[in-house]
Amino acid sequence: GQEGGRASHFLHLGSALAATVLLHRLARGRALKTAAILTTPALALTAGWSLVDWPLLGICAALVLSLDQDESADLSAAVAAGLLTKYTFVPFGVVTLMIGRRWRGAVWGGVAGSVFFIRNLVLTGNPIAPFFTAAAPHVAGYRGHPFLSSYVFEGRFIDESLGASLLMGGTMSAGLLSWTLVGLGVALFLLAPSARILVPYFAVPAARSADEGRVLRVLVIVAIMAPLFLVTYFVDRSEVATLISGKVSDEEFLTRQRVSFSDIRALDAVLPPESCTLVIGLNETFWFTHRVRGGGNFDGPRLSQYLETATPDALRGRFNQDGITHVAILSGAAAPTAVAQKVEERQTDLSPAARRMLSLTLDRFAANVTARGHATLFTLK
């Protein structure tokens, strides 16, 4: 990584460790239950990745613990943290609070965690923007068809597999809250979303599940061992050990793992210190050391809406207002996966109208053009 990239990964690894402690407490100290959750590939493979799934799971565990222990301050903190982390916390939080029937502290947590929603309401008129708008990302049907096999284990989605141990823990769930969360997870499963969205709906019931008998204990142990072999295989295939051992440098490793890395490094080297670049075609803006703006996962519709102005002069005026000095277009840089849904997630595709308006604007207002590999950099005048 660059400019603090390692620090980000250690921070997320720390959050994964904190979530583990909370899950162990939720499982009332039962190591087998905790291990069944931690070995879920969607968790085991992503610990330390710059994703919010581990922190979100820890927050969900903290919310349920605060209800069990009737701790209003902890409840307030969990609600606020969940709302500030991810939209998918909302259905989990609403169901948990309705069944727990403890609202003391939840209101203040809701107020503290509503900053992002208020911002959206002020700027767009929609508190959960971009959802339910023309710029909404295409997240429904992410996995194509909701086959259970592709959630328990699917070779194309190894880093998202829920794992047999997690589902097995869910079958031993006890109590209204646990069964309701499992039911809600199944309902979301029918929409075929990304598997990591579903993790809290099965992990929390698994931690709270009833004590298993000897036969089920053996089955859980077997189910734990299978994902462990899968994780070992994945780590070996990613060749991350060569980086840890020092056999390859950071740059050599990233160049081999991320096709876009070399192109972005080349662009970054020619950007002026005070530049602000609009990146089109790829969401991996974190490689830049200069200021950049770009779309995130599935943000093609939002970025298209930004570019779809009436005239090139209007788009140039928008660039001026936002301080955009350069436009970088990355095309043909293959994503490090052949899965269509993940390619769509990582590559920012524009609508025909947005592409046309951007092309007209660059034809008229580009002062200089620089090509670097799969990337083209336009300097605006």
Side-chain angles (χ1 to χ4, degrees), residues 82-202:
L83 292 176
L84 290 169
T85 300
K86 201 167 185 177
Y87 280 141
T88 48
F89 172 80
V90 174
F92 184 97
V94 169
V95 168
T96 302
L97 292 172
M98 287 182 63
I99 293 177
R101 295 182 180 179
R102 294 193 181 100
W103 302 100
R104 189 176 58 185
V107 174
W108 292 114
V111 171
S114 63
V115 175
F116 187 71
F117 297 90
I118 295 174
R119 169 211 177 256
N120 280 349
L121 183 63
V122 172
L123 295 180
T124 70
N126 178 8
I128 57 172
F131 295 103
F132 302 112
T133 69
H138 305 295
V139 292
Y142 174 76
R143 300 177 74 86
H145 300 286
F147 297 124
L148 183 61
S149 58
S150 68
Y151 280 87
V152 177
F153 172 73
E154 167 59 57
R156 301 176 304 157
F157 296 95
I158 293 177
D159 57 323
E160 293 194 4
S161 299
L162 290 175
S165 58
L166 194 59
L167 295 179
M168 186 175 294
T171 62
M172 296 183 292
S173 298
L176 177 60
L177 175 60
S178 293
W179 280 115
T180 303
L181 290 175
V182 170
L184 186 56
V186 172
L188 291 173
F189 155 76
L190 296 176
L191 297 175
S194 171
R196 284 195 292 265
I197 292 176
L198 305 179
V199 168
Y201 297 95
F202 295 106

Side-chain angles (χ1 to χ4, degrees), residues 230-290:
L230 176 63
V231 171
T232 302
Y233 164 75
F234 185 90
V235 171
D236 179 69
R237 191 182 68 174
S238 67
E239 300 180 340
V240 68
T242 61
L243 178 64
I244 297 175
S245 64
K247 292 182 179 180
V248 298
S249 65
D250 288 2
E251 187 164 345
E252 290 172 331
F253 177 79
L254 291 171
T255 300
R256 194 159 55 205
Q257 295 293 327
R258 289 294 198 196
V259 179
S260 58
F261 178 74
S262 297
D263 296 330
I264 292 178
R265 286 292 295 271
L267 285 180
D268 201 48
V270 300
L271 285 172
E274 302 301 322
S275 63
C276 182
T277 305
L278 178 65
V279 179
I280 305 291
L282 193 71
N283 70 347
E284 296 180 357
T285 55
F286 44 79
W287 299 123
F288 288 90
T289 58
H290 295 82

